[in-house]
Amino acid sequence: MFEEKEKKTQEVQGVVVQLQHFSLHDGDGIRTTLFLAGCPLRCRWCANPESWEQTPLKAPGTGKILRRWMQVEEILSEVRRQMIFYRASGGGVTYSGGEPTVQLGFLRSLVDAMSHLGIHQAMETCGFFSWEAAGDILQKMDAIFVDVKVMDPLAHKELTGVDNRLILANIKKMSRLNIPLVIRIPLIPDVNDHEENLKALADFIRNQVPESSVELLPYHTLGLEKHKQLGLQSPQYGYRPPTHDERKRSAAIFEKAGISVICY
């Protein structure tokens, strides 16, 4: 019975953007980051627009594969070859995207298979998902990274296409799992780095998820070229990376609130 179930799991497939080995910024140690296709948000600053949809895709004009079908067994085969690096460094596998919970069946099969191998697992999520549908998967993680863009729900909808009420509710639920939780905030000058927004974020974290820490992720322009390649109109023109002083000022708001913060 177990062998039959394992075989069915291995035959499950999903659409993958990239399998990135030797990742160092997606959790502890040396990791493999698995970028799954599909995302319910359309963040204006998105650096990975190729991850938005769930259909296989080749880059126009180049033929480069941007999204492709992969079976669980294909991924496990790659991961097994990396396990020596996970063990030596305290690393593992991180699910990212896109938004990994978009492909729930595929993600659940991957998580169960990695658990069977004893691999440390982390997830990077936008937080916009049904807890009833995905909560069991979150419970199996060893670490969770979740984005918070802005606190005002109307501004959040304007900037990402959805408001943030479901996201904030899910973050509160994540905090009750007793799993290390990191709040990631994309830092974009004149978009979400103003004092009012950052103080509201700090208040939410301090009062609702006090055991979590914060990572400030400075905006970069690497997504602009991808938008061009995909024939998409990018809303990022005019955006710029934050200066050293702007990053320092933003980090100080969280430090003053007693929140552990890292700013890259």
Side-chain angles (χ1 to χ4, degrees), residues 32-263:
T32 294
T33 301
L34 178 57
F35 295 88
L36 303 184
C39 186
L41 273 61
R42 292 294 182 269
C43 301
R44 291 188 177 185
W45 51 84
C46 183
N48 298 305
E50 74 278 14
S51 70
W52 288 350
E53 306 297 340
Q54 287 180 253
T55 53
L57 176 69
K58 291 184 179 181
T62 68
K64 179 182 176 182
I65 297 175
L66 299 180
R67 298 190 299 260
R68 65 187 179 102
W69 288 104
M70 289 189 75
Q71 289 188 335
V72 170
E73 179 53 39
E74 289 181 78
I75 295 169
L76 292 178
S77 179
E78 294 241 13
V79 163
R80 289 188 191 102
R81 290 196 287 268
Q82 304 298 318
M83 287 178 68
I84 186 172
F85 301 110
Y86 308 156
R87 290 173 181 147
S89 67
V93 169
T94 299
Y95 306 102
S96 188
E99 167 53 42
T101 61
V102 169
Q103 299 187 65
L104 268 180
F106 184 44
L107 176 63
R108 185 173 284 110
S109 294
L110 286 167
V111 169
D112 288 345
M114 300 296 176
S115 296
H116 183 65
L117 292 174
I119 293 173
H120 184 282
Q121 300 180 85
M123 184 187 297
E124 296 176 339
T125 175
C126 70
F128 193 83
F129 56 80
S130 163
W131 189 266
E132 289 72 22
D136 64 304
I137 297 176
L138 272 293
Q139 292 174 30
K140 295 177 181 178
M141 293 298 107
D142 298 294
I144 300 172
F145 300 84
V146 58
D147 284 2
V148 180
K149 328 303 189 182
V150 294
M151 284 301 294
D152 180 80
L154 294 178
H156 194 282
K157 186 169 185 177
E158 181 182 353
L159 292 167
T160 71
V162 303
D163 75 34
N164 61 1
R165 287 173 290 183
L166 177 61
I167 294 168
L168 297 180
N170 280 339
I171 290 173
K172 294 177 187 178
K173 293 174 183 176
M174 292 177 205
S175 71
R176 302 185 196 122
L177 297 177
N178 294 318
I179 296 169
L181 178 64
V182 177
I183 309 295
R184 283 182 161 171
I185 302 168
L187 195 62
I188 310 153
D190 305 319
V191 176
N192 71 339
D193 73 333
H194 50 87
E195 187 174 0
E196 180 183 1
N197 179 58
L198 296 182
K199 281 187 174 181
L201 281 164
D203 287 343
F204 170 78
I205 293 165
R206 181 180 57 198
N207 295 324
Q208 303 294 336
V209 286
E211 300 301 318
S212 63
S213 59
V214 166
E215 288 185 1
L216 297 178
L217 306 178
Y219 168 75
H220 57 73
T221 60
L222 299 179
L224 289 173
E225 189 58 36
K226 291 183 180 180
H227 278 81
K228 288 182 185 177
Q229 290 176 351
L230 294 172
L232 300 172
Q233 177 122 18
S234 175
Q236 298 180 50
Y237 292 101
Y239 288 7
R240 61 172 177 82
T243 65
H244 172 77
D245 287 345
E246 287 169 331
R247 296 197 304 270
K248 188 175 179 179
R249 174 186 59 77
S250 297
I253 291 174
F254 294 94
E255 291 167 349
K256 187 175 181 180
I259 299 168
S260 174
V261 59
I262 295 174
C263 186

Side-chain angles (χ1 to χ4, degrees), residues 23-31 85-86 89-92:
S23 293
L24 300 175
H25 299 294
D26 299 318
D28 292 339
I30 296 172
R31 311 188 68 81
F85 301 110
Y86 308 156
S89 67

